[in-house]
Each structure stands twice: as structure tokens, then as C-alpha cells.
């Protein structure tokens, strides 16, 4: 393992050296830091040119400047953005944080939705549901991101903000969404005609009732989850997780998941008191999450069962879900003061920027403000990435389902749930193991169009700004960072292959 890592790191460093050398040379021909001064009619133009030549060492050959830059770079001096005289390290720190903030949520949502829908589509191969999902995924994949972003700003943000000024029940929209939900669940669950009719009617009635109650009770004006919502959703999620990963016949796994859900709901009350008197921060929040996961693991261990790992895993997944629900509920409690703030003026869905300027907010309102700014760019990225993951997951699942070991598992009398979850799904995730890390690093490198349209000062926008400003140091740091992260992503993909498939071993 050590030899493998050392060899891969050596190859990565050598590749980065060649990449940086070639890119520095190309930038020498592409950029002209003196262009604006040559067109400057000022009488002291020659003096200004001489000062900039000394500042940027332009009197040296480019390859000498490269080695001078490389020497400073390996020592942690990343240069300056000479137009603002701002250190590149300080400039890049904020850009990376912005890009990660934008990309992380989009990647997680895309993977969860893509894997789930792709799996169901493969299990319903050649049905109407499969054809519709295939059409929608190809449609989303072919849409230009700038067009999607503009439509989201117009219809989702501006339209929703106008609706929040005077919310009423839009009956055609409610009926349409109810029908779409009913058709989706009917196709996803499948079965005989009588089952499909029951699923269709059940999904139609439930969706219609939820939408009407949501709009009629004023929930959209003051959204909240509350302890009742946390309890109901957590218990329902506990049943769902157990049904998928263990089966409801595994009573110990079910009881561990339900115990975790009930305990998490009870914790809702002391947490409200704690958050009222204790100033929260992200380190504290991650600490509380770690404690909840540890308690859930202990609950699963104590319940045990024929397979302790299933009980522990199910309890930890439920604990994570319940923790997120409690956090979201606390954030939503600041909705009314946030919506009434003078900087918001009743239009909470933001269309530009990463935060509201001049907003006086505590930790919780700050998270709500970030969420409202994240919604549109995240949705734009999800729509594109989701389509890719659906296609990959569907194709991988269909290939796995035709393997001999799947037929053997079925012939041994294993339930379809065990065959799909324990045997097929794990191997079907292998293609995504090589795609997801690279996609994530690519997006960190800058969702250039998305950041530009929504006014996010991330890595992609910083790269374009520096390139247009003829600033070599920020561009070179961007190249080194994205190149290094791409190589790390490939290394992570290799290890994920070994984790997913125990037959794969790392050879030195």
C-alpha cells in the first residue's frame, strides 16, 4: 500500500510539473500584462510600463520566471493578483469555500436521486416508467445550463416570490402535481393492474391532501417541521430504511431504528433549550452530530441480532436523518423574521450572490440566508448531474442483473430485496466510483457558467476574472489546484473500487 501511494504521488508530482511548465509557457503567449498601458495616453506611460515590468519581472525570459514562481509556490508563497495587490492565497481561500458550498449540496442530492431513480428504472426495464425516465434524463442532459439557470430565475425565484406576496391555492397546479406524483409512484412500484390502481389512487389522494393542507394552513408563509413532524418523519424513515436494508422481519434491526427515531424526537426539546442559550457554530453542530451517530451505533450494537452491522447501519442512517430534520426545523424557525427583514422585503428566494449584504443575522438565520441563495444554483447543477448519474446507474444495474451470480442468488431462494440490495446494487455502484470523485473535483474547479449567472464568486469566476485581467499568478494557482485535485480524485476512485469490490487489491 505504501509503495502504491508513493508511486502514485510521484507520478502526480511529475505530471503537475509538466502541466505547470506547459501552461506557464502558453500563458506567456496568451496574456499581455502591459496591454492596457500601451493604450494609455498618459504622459508618464513609459514610467508606468517600466514599473510594471519590474513588478512582474517581465524583463526575464518566461522559463526563468516560471522557475522563480515555482520556487515561491513550493514555499507557500502563491504570488499576488497584481491589479488589486491582493495575495493569491487570500483570494483563493474565499473562492474555494464558495465553490465547495455550491457544489457539495448539488453533488449529494444528484447522487442520491440519480442512483435511486436509475436503480428503479433498471428494475422496470422496458416499461412506461423506464421510457419516461430515459426521455427526461436525456432531455435534462442536453439542456444548456445557462438556459436552465435563466428559466429558474424567472419562473422559480421571481414567480415564487410574487406568489409569496399573496399565496392562494392554485387548483390547476395542485391537480397537475398530484397526477404527476401518482403516475410516478405507480410506475416506480409496478405490479399487477389492481396494485397499480391502488397505488395510483393512494398517491393521488395523499399528494392532493398534503398540497391543499400546506397551502390552506399558511405553511408556505411560515414553514416549520415541529416535534410532531420530526417524530412522524423519523419513524416513517426508520420503517423505510429497515425494509430496504434488513427487511421488516428482522425485528432487532427494526427496533434499533425505531428506538433511534424516538430518542431523536425526544432530544428535540432539550436541543431547543440548548440552542436558545448557547451560541452555535459549525464545530459544535458537527460535534452534536458525532454524538448522535455514536449513540445510534450503540443502540444498534445493543439490539444486535443475527447481523449486528445491519442494525448499527440502520440506526446510524436514521440518526443522521433525524439530526438533519431537527437542524432544518431550527433553521426554519427564523423564517418569519428573515422574511420581514428590510434587506429581504418579503422576497426570500435570492437570484444572485451567495449572501444578503448587510443582513444582521445569528447563526441560524445565516444558514437560512445561505440556503435561499443556494437553492437556484444547486437546482441548476442537480438537473444536469442527475441525468448523468441516472444513465450510468441504469446501465450498470442492467449489466449486473444479467450476471450468473444474480441468477444463482435467485435460484437459492433469496428474496428479491436481498438480491438487489446486497448482491446487485453494490457491484452496480462501481462505475459511479470512478465518475463521482472526478465530477466533484471538476465542479470545485468552477461551475463557471452557473457562478457567473448567479453571481457567485467561486473558483470558476475567479479564473475568468484573473484571465481577463492578465494576472498569471491566480491562473497558475487555479491550474495547480484543479490539476492536483483531479489526480487525488483518481486515487480516491481506485480506493473506492477496492472498498466496493473486495476482490480488487492494490498492487505495488
Amino acid at each position: 500500500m505504501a509503495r502504491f501511494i508513493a508511486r502514485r504521488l510521484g507520478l502526480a508530482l511529475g505530471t503537475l510539473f509538466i502541466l505547470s511548465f506547459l501552461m506557464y509557457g502558453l500563458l506567456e503567449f496568451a496574456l499581455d500584462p502591459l496591454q492596457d498601458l500601451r493604450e494609455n495616453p498618459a504622459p508618464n506611460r513609459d514610467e508606468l510600463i517600466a514599473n510594471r515590468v519590474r513588478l512582474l519581472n517581465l524583463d526575464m525570459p518566461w522559463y526563468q520566471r516560471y522557475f522563480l514562481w515555482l520556487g515561491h509556490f513550493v514555499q507557500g508563497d502563491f504570488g499576488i493578483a497584481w491589479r488589486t495587490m491582493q495575495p493569491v492565497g487570500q483570494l483563493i481561500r474565499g473562492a474555494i469555500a464558495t465553490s465547495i458550498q455550491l457544489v457539495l449540496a448539488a453533488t449529494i442530492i444528484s447522487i442520491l436521486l440519480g442512483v435511486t431513480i436509475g436503480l428503479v428504472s433498471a428494475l422496470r426495464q422496458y416499461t412506461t416508467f423506464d421510457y419516461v425516465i430515459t426521455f427526461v434524463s436525456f432531455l435534462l442532459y442536453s439542456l444548456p445550463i445557462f438556459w436552465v439557470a435563466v428559466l429558474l430565475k424567472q419562473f422559480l425565484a421571481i414567480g415564487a416570490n410574487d406568489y409569496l406576496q399573496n399565496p392562494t391555492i392554485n387548483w390547476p397546479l395542485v391537480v397537475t402535481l398530484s397526477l404527476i406524483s401518482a403516475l410516478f409512484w405507480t410506475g416506480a412500484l409496478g405490479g399487477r393492474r389492481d396494485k397499480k390502481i391502488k397505488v395510483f389512487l393512494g398517491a393521488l389522494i395523499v399528494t392532493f391532501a398534503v398540497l391543499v393542507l400546506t397551502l390552506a394552513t399558511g405553511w408556505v408563509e411560515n414553514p416549520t417541521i415541529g416535534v410532531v413532524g420530526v417524530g412522524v418523519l423519523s419513524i416513517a424513515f426508520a420503517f423505510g430504511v429497515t425494509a430496504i436494508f434488513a427487511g421488516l422481519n428482522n425485528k432487532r434491526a427494526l427496533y434499533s431504528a425505531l428506538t433511534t427515531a424516538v430518542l431523536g424526537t425526544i432530544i428535540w426539546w432539550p436541543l431547543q433549550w440548548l440552542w436558545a442559550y448557547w451560541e452555535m457554530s459549525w464545530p459544535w453542530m458537527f460535534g452534536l452530530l458525532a454524538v448522535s451517530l455514536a449513540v445510534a451505533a450503540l443502540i444498534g450494537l445493543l439490539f444486535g441480532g443475527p447481523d449486528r452491522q445491519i442494525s448499527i447501519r440502520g440506526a446510524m442512517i436514521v440518526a443522521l436523518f433525524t439530526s438533519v430534520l431537527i437542524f432544518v426545523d431550527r433553521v426554519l424557525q427564523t423564517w418569519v423574521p428573515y422574511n420581514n427583514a428590510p434587506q429581504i422585503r418579503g422576497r426570500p428566494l435570492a437570484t444572485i450572490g451567495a449572501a444578503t449584504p448587510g443582513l444582521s443575522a445569528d447563526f441560524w438565520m445565516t444558514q437560512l440566508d445561505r440556503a435561499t441563495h443556494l437553492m437556484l444554483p444547486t437546482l441548476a447543477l442537480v438537473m444536469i448531474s442527475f441525468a448523468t448519474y441516472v444513465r450510468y446507474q441504469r446501465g450498470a444495474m442492467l449489466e449486473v442483473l444479467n450476471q450468473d451470480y444474480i441468477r444463482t442468488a435467485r435460484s437459492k431462494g433469496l428474496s428479491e430485496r436481498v438480491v438487489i440490495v446486497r448482491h446487485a446494487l453494490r457491484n452496480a455502484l462501481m462505475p459511479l466510483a470512478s465518475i463521482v470523485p472526478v465530477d466533484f473535483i471538476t465542479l470545485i474547479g468552477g461551475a463557471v457558467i452557473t457562478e457567473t449567472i448567479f453571481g457567485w464568486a467561486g473558483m470558476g469566476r475567479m479564473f475568468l476574472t484573473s484571465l481577463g485581467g492578465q494576472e498569471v499568478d491566480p491562473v497558475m494557482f487555479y491550474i495547480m489546484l484543479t490539476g492536483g485535485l483531479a489526480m487525488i480524485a483518481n486515487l480516491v476512485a481506485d480506493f473506492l473500487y477496492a472498498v466496493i469490490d473486495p476482490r480488487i487489491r492494490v498492487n505495488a
Side-chain angles (χ1 to χ4, degrees):
M1 179 67 70
R3 290 197 300 271
F4 172 79
I5 295 176
R7 185 181 64 182
R8 291 296 297 269
L9 289 178
L11 290 174
L13 292 176
T15 304
L16 278 178
F17 172 75
I18 297 174
L19 172 68
S20 61
F21 184 79
L22 293 177
M23 291 305 301
Y24 202 98
L26 291 175
L27 290 176
E28 168 68 17
F29 297 100
L31 303 183
D32 183 10
L34 302 177
Q35 179 180 359
D36 59 325
L37 294 182
R38 291 195 181 96
E39 301 171 354
N40 192 340
N44 60 338
R45 182 182 61 181
D46 294 339
E47 182 181 352
L48 295 174
I49 292 177
N51 290 336
R52 187 171 297 179
V53 167
R54 285 193 299 270
L55 174 65
L56 303 179
N57 297 314
L58 297 179
D59 53 341
M60 299 171 56
W62 70 267
Y63 51 86
Q64 291 186 11
R65 294 203 307 274
Y66 165 77
F67 286 106
L68 180 64
W69 167 84
L70 185 63
H72 290 298
F73 185 87
V74 297
Q75 298 176 30
D77 180 8
F78 306 129
I80 60 171
W82 56 267
R83 289 193 179 275
T84 60
M85 299 306 294
Q86 186 177 4
V88 172
Q90 179 181 347
L91 180 68
I92 208 79
R93 194 179 302 120
I96 292 177
T98 301
S99 289
I100 291 179
Q101 181 180 344
L102 173 61
V103 167
L104 186 61
T107 303
I108 294 175
I109 296 173
S110 299
I111 293 173
L112 293 177
L113 289 179
V115 170
T116 303
I117 301 300
L119 170 63
V120 177
S121 181
L123 296 177
R124 301 287 178 262
Q125 185 184 18
Y126 301 139
T127 63
T128 304
F129 179 84
D130 182 36
Y131 290 135
V132 171
I133 294 299
T134 300
F135 171 76
V136 171
S137 60
F138 276 118
L139 177 64
L140 292 178
Y141 186 77
S142 62
L143 291 179
I145 185 65
F146 62 87
W147 186 70
V148 173
V150 171
L151 290 182
L152 289 176
K153 293 177 73 171
Q154 176 64 39
F155 294 103
L156 188 59
I158 299 176
N161 283 329
D162 292 339
Y163 174 79
L164 290 175
Q165 301 296 317
N166 184 25
T168 57
I169 299 180
N170 187 334
W171 292 108
L173 180 61
V174 169
V175 173
T176 301
L177 293 178
S178 300
L179 288 173
I180 292 175
S181 173
L183 292 172
F184 173 83
W185 287 110
T186 302
L189 297 179
R192 295 183 300 181
R193 177 175 297 180
D194 56 342
K195 179 184 176 181
K196 289 182 178 180
I197 294 175
K198 293 178 181 179
V199 172
F200 179 85
L201 293 177
L204 181 67
I205 294 172
V206 170
T207 305
F208 184 84
V210 169
L211 291 176
V212 171
L213 288 175
T214 299
L215 298 174
T217 58
W219 189 87
V220 294
E221 302 173 59
N222 184 17
T224 183
I225 300 175
V227 64
V228 176
V230 170
V232 172
L233 292 175
S234 297
I235 292 175
F237 187 78
F239 275 104
V241 168
T242 306
I244 293 174
F245 293 104
L248 295 178
N249 293 328
N250 190 332
K251 299 301 181 182
R252 292 182 179 269
L254 177 61
Y255 294 155
S256 63
L258 289 176
T259 302
T260 303
V262 172
L263 181 60
T265 305
I266 295 173
I267 293 296
W268 182 89
W269 279 284
L271 284 178
Q272 304 305 308
W273 176 85
L274 174 65
W275 289 335
Y277 295 98
W278 192 274
E279 184 177 352
M280 280 292 106
S281 62
W282 278 113
W284 279 107
M285 294 304 302
F286 284 120
L288 291 174
L289 177 61
V291 171
S292 68
L293 293 177
V295 172
L298 179 61
I299 292 174
L301 182 64
L302 293 177
F303 274 99
D307 192 344
R308 292 178 181 271
Q309 290 185 354
I310 292 180
S311 300
I312 294 173
R313 181 173 57 203
M316 293 182 69
I317 293 175
V318 173
L320 177 62
F321 178 78
T322 306
S323 300
V324 172
L325 279 181
I326 295 174
F327 176 81
V328 172
D329 174 69
R330 181 60 185 87
V331 171
L332 288 177
Q333 292 177 25
T334 64
W335 178 268
V336 173
Y338 174 77
N339 196 32
N340 294 331
Q343 294 85 359
I344 305 300
R345 299 191 304 276
R347 304 184 69 84
L349 299 183
T351 58
I352 193 168
T356 302
L359 179 67
S360 178
D362 60 1
F363 172 79
W364 302 105
M365 190 178 292
T366 300
Q367 307 316 311
L368 180 59
D369 184 57
R370 289 178 178 174
T372 57
H373 285 79
L374 269 172
M375 184 178 298
L376 292 186
T378 297
L379 184 57
L381 293 176
V382 164
M383 291 176 66
I384 306 301
S385 301
F386 159 79
T388 303
Y389 295 143
V390 166
R391 301 311 303 158
Y392 274 109
Q393 184 61 32
R394 179 185 180 276
M397 195 67 188
L398 288 175
E399 182 178 356
V400 168
L401 289 175
N402 291 323
Q403 297 297 317
D404 291 338
Y405 66 87
I406 297 297
R407 287 191 289 268
T408 301
R410 285 172 172 159
S411 66
K412 290 169 63 177
L414 296 179
S415 66
E416 190 66 12
R417 179 193 60 79
V418 174
V419 172
I420 298 301
V421 175
R422 292 201 176 188
H423 296 275
L425 179 58
R426 183 165 183 167
N427 290 316
L429 291 175
M430 289 187 63
L432 288 181
S434 60
I435 298 171
V436 172
V438 177
D439 282 355
F440 183 74
I441 295 304
T442 301
L443 288 176
I444 289 180
V448 179
I449 298 176
T450 306
E451 290 177 3
T452 302
I453 292 177
F454 291 105
W456 280 64
M459 290 287 293
R461 191 175 179 187
M462 185 219 69
F463 172 75
L464 289 180
T465 301
S466 301
L467 201 62
Q470 318 291 328
E471 296 173 317
V472 175
D473 288 351
V475 174
M476 285 303 300
F477 188 95
Y478 174 88
I479 293 171
M480 294 292 285
L481 180 66
T482 53
L485 290 177
M487 294 171 192
I488 293 175
N490 285 311
L491 183 61
V492 170
D494 291 340
F495 283 106
L496 284 178
Y497 263 89
V499 171
I500 295 175
D501 190 348
R503 297 172 299 177
I504 296 178
R505 292 293 179 264
V506 175
N507 296 320

